Amino acid sequence: MGRMAGKVALISGGAEGIGGALARMIVAEGGSVMLGDIQPDKAKALATELGANADAVALDVRDLVQWEAAVASTVKRFGKLTTLCNIAGISEPGNTVDVDLDSWQRHIDINLNGTFFGCRAAIPVLAAAGEPATIVNVGSMLAHRASGNMAAYCASKAGVTHLTKSVALDCAARGLNIRANTVHPGAIRTPMYERYVNAGGPDMIDQIEATMASAHPMGRVGTPEEVANAIIFLSCDDSSFTSGTDLNIDGASAIRD
Ligand SMILES: NC(=O)c1ccc[n+]([C@@H]2O[C@H](COP(=O)([O-])OP(=O)(O)OC[C@H]3O[C@@H](n4cnc5c(N)ncnc54)[C@H](O)[C@@H]3O)[C@@H](O)[C@H]2O)c1
């Protein structure tokens, strides 16, 4: 029996990166997954590769109506929803004075509102499953330790962190069998990370990689599978008394001197 046997997950941002690795791991652990992504062809290709326990739906997390449709599609396809994983996110640099206003708004719309809409659409359906249900949201080590040149990202991820605690308390107070937690990755080798590494051109790749690694006391960046493993722990019944918590997957970055 896998750790996710009997669970049905909806993953936003499930086409690639951390969401893609998580989808593979949930299916390998015996669960079913619906991949919601703004890249529906890529999500569909991964679902096809994963087989009968995976499917895909077009989802732009900025739109509550699309979230409601994705939740309904998951229930129609797999019979219930037990597990919401809000993974979709963007990251663009910019300080408070210079950040492009559209970029600021994109971060709030996708990272913060997108997570809020996901919780709002899913909670009644998670409650209706009549069994232990979970929400895992993705923050960042930059939710704990701000960066001067990542104003919008830091603000949006700090918002996700506290939103999650509010959801956890509300579900507990209303006697819903839903736990909500946040994972906080350090730098993780995904397409998002590769865009940063490649931004300075070929001559800068080694230097940027070294800088990224040295930001972590463990001296390296993480893998999508290391984050997926933590999300699985928070999504399965092994963490049955854990709600409203922050789990750092960051090579000790959050506690560094
Ligand atoms: N990679 C890192 O170093 C790192 C570190 C800390 C936190 N995170 C967070 O982890 C999450 C996943 O990051 P990643 O590195 O896998 O990113 P990624 O860019 O590699 O993948 C993100 C996925 O989200 C999807 N997506 C983007 N906007 C969307 C939208 N509006 N609606 C639906 N789907 C959308 C993309 O199509 C893609 O499939 C993000 O929330 C990110 O902020 C990543």
Side-chain angles (χ1 to χ4, degrees), residues 33-196:
V33 280
M34 182 65 83
L35 310 180
D37 205 285
I38 204 168
Q39 302 185 83
D41 293 346
K42 224 174 219 179
K44 189 74 198 169
L46 177 54
T48 302
E49 181 195 323
L50 293 178
N53 290 335
D55 208 341
V57 63
L59 170 64
D60 184 337
V61 296
R62 291 170 285 195
D63 185 345
L64 179 58
V65 173
Q66 290 191 37
W67 262 115
E68 288 165 347
V71 168
S73 296
T74 307
V75 174
K76 188 169 179 211
R77 176 69 173 78
F78 296 113
K80 62 184 178 182
L81 177 69
T82 64
T83 311
L84 173 67
C85 303
N86 278 303
I87 313 297
I90 59 157
S91 170
E92 299 162 356
N95 68 28
T96 302
V97 172
D98 294 332
V99 64
D100 179 74
L101 292 183
D102 289 340
S103 176
W104 172 272
Q105 195 60 51
R106 259 195 307 281
H107 283 83
I108 301 304
D109 287 344
I110 296 174
N111 295 0
L112 183 54
N113 290 352
T115 302
F116 162 64
F117 288 152
C119 295
R120 188 178 175 102
I123 285 170
V125 180
L126 290 167
E131 59 185 278
T134 57
I135 297 170
V136 178
N137 296 331
V138 178
S140 165
M141 68 176 176
L142 295 181
H144 300 310
R145 298 179 68 102
S147 157
N149 197 36
M150 299 285 286
Y153 189 74
C154 291
S156 66
K157 292 300 190 177
V160 166
T161 306
H162 232 53
L163 168 69
T164 312
K165 293 177 197 298
S166 177
V167 168
L169 286 171
D170 174 54
C171 289
R174 289 197 286 134
L176 305 181
N177 201 352
I178 303 172
R179 299 181 290 107
N181 293 288
T182 311
V183 294
H184 294 282
I188 306 296
R189 197 172 289 283
T190 65
M192 176 185 282
Y193 170 88
E194 300 296 346
R195 285 192 287 278
Y196 274 101

